[in-house]
Amino acid sequence: MALTYAWCVVNWFQRGRARVEAPKLRPRSETVAATKVDLAELTPEFGVFLGEAAYLQLMIVENLGRAVATAPTVAAKASISAVLAKAVLKYEGLVAEIRRHGDSPANLMEPHRARIDNFQRITLGSDWCENLVTCYVTAGFLDDFFIRVAAGLERDAAQRVTAVLSADWAEELLVAELAREIDANPRLASRLAMWGRRLIGDTMLVARSALRLTANHDSDEARLEPVFTEIIASHTRRMDALGLTA
C-alpha cells in the first residue's frame, strides 16, 4: 500500500503538480543509515543550498512558535516548546555553517524568502492540530530531502550539515500531542489524514525547486524518482505513527 501510494505521488509530481496511541518512532539515525540513493549530482552551489536550507528551517521555527502560542493547555505549550528549542538549534547549526564560510546568513536566505513565505502561507493549517501536522510533515520531509542533497557539498561541509539535519528534533512530542487530540476526538483523524496528503504535494514542490536540474529531463527524473519514493515511504511511516493513512 505504502509503495503504491509513493509511486502515485511521484508520478503526479513529475507531471508538475498536483484509538490512537503514540508509538515510538524509528530513530532518525536508522533512517539515514538505510539511505541507498542521494541527490549529490543535483546539489546546488554551496551558498544557494545553505541559504534555502536555513530559511526553510527558520520557517519551521516560526511554525512551531505559532503552535506554542496557540496551544490549548500549558502542558501542550511546554511540550511543543521543547520541539521548538530543538528546531532553533538546527537553524543555528546551519547559520554557523554559513558563517564558517564567511557569508552573511541574511544575504543567502533573502533570495528564497518570497517563495518559502508563499509555501508557509499555503501550508498554514486552519487550527492548532492542522498546524502541528504541518510542523510534523514538513520538517520530517525536508530534513530527509536536504540530507540527501547535502551529499553533493564539499566533504567536511557535507558531514557537518548532515549532522545538523540528522539531529533529533523530538518529533515524538508532536506525535504524543496529536495522539491525545485524536484520542479525545476520533473524528479528527480523517481530516488530519487528508491535510497530511495535501501537505505532501506542496512540500515536494518546494523541495524540488532547491535542486540544480540539468537540461536532461529524463536523466534528472531517473535520479529523482527513487529518492522521492524513499522519502515518501518515510512520510508514510510518520503518518502511521499517528494512526493516520498517508
Side-chain angles (χ1 to χ4, degrees), residues 12-13 16-18 52 115 119 122 141 199-210 228:
W12 168 86
F13 179 62
R17 287 269 252 214
E52 180 147 19
R115 181 168 48 82
F119 169 66
I122 62 179
F141 189 102
L199 288 170
I200 203 65
D202 288 312
T203 306
M204 289 176 71
L205 286 171
V206 80
R208 180 177 177 130
S209 68
F228 279 112

Side-chain angles (χ1 to χ4, degrees), residues 46 50 91-105 108 153-161 163-164:
F46 177 86
L50 261 294
Y91 168 71
E92 290 177 343
L94 294 174
V95 165
E97 187 61 27
I98 292 172
R99 289 180 172 142
R100 179 190 292 269
H101 287 256
D103 295 312
S104 161
L108 292 190
L153 299 176
E154 178 272 324
R155 182 179 176 183
D156 289 345
Q159 291 177 342
R160 288 191 296 269
V161 170
V164 169

Side-chain angles (χ1 to χ4, degrees), residues 5-211:
Y5 169 75
W7 277 105
C8 288
V9 175
V10 170
N11 288 337
W12 168 86
F13 179 62
Q14 289 173 344
R15 291 198 300 271
R17 287 269 252 214
R19 177 205 138 267
V20 178
E21 297 177 354
K24 293 182 179 179
L25 301 178
R26 174 183 293 189
R28 181 172 295 277
S29 58
E30 293 181 19
T31 303
V32 174
T35 300
K36 297 182 178 65
V37 290
D38 61 51
L39 295 170
E41 294 182 25
L42 302 178
T43 301
E45 179 268 329
F46 177 86
V48 174
F49 171 86
L50 261 294
E52 180 147 19
Y55 198 72
L56 281 167
Q57 189 62 41
L58 184 57
M59 177 204 74
I60 291 166
V61 168
E62 291 179 352
N63 288 346
L64 286 165
R66 184 181 296 109
V68 171
T70 58
T73 67
V74 172
K77 284 181 182 288
S79 181
I80 305 307
S81 291
V83 186
L84 172 59
K86 298 271 190 178
V88 170
L89 288 176
K90 294 180 84 164
Y91 168 71
E92 290 177 343
L94 294 174
V95 165
E97 187 61 27
I98 292 172
R99 289 180 172 142
R100 179 190 292 269
H101 287 256
D103 295 312
S104 161
N107 288 345
L108 292 190
M109 289 189 286
E110 182 61 35
H112 308 285
R113 181 168 64 91
R115 181 168 48 82
I116 293 173
D117 284 356
N118 183 61
F119 169 66
Q120 183 180 38
R121 179 184 60 78
I122 62 179
T123 56
L124 179 65
S126 62
D127 59 21
W128 187 68
C129 288
E130 285 190 3
N131 283 331
L132 280 195
V133 173
T134 293
C135 295
Y136 182 59
V137 168
T138 59
F141 189 102
L142 292 170
D143 277 355
D144 286 346
F145 174 79
F146 276 95
I147 285 169
R148 288 164 172 81
V149 181
L153 299 176
E154 178 272 324
R155 182 179 176 183
D156 289 345
Q159 291 177 342
R160 288 191 296 269
V161 170
T162 298
V164 169
L165 295 174
S166 301
D168 169 66
W169 59 285
E171 61 186 322
E172 69 278 0
L173 297 178
L174 295 181
V175 173
E177 290 302 324
L178 284 164
R180 266 190 285 275
E181 294 294 321
I182 296 169
D183 192 44
N185 180 11
R187 295 178 62 184
L188 270 176
S190 60
R191 176 163 67 86
L192 295 181
M194 183 178 295
W195 180 242
R197 290 192 289 272
R198 287 183 57 188
L199 288 170
I200 203 65
D202 288 312
T203 306
M204 289 176 71
L205 286 171
V206 80
R208 180 177 177 130
S209 68
L211 298 173

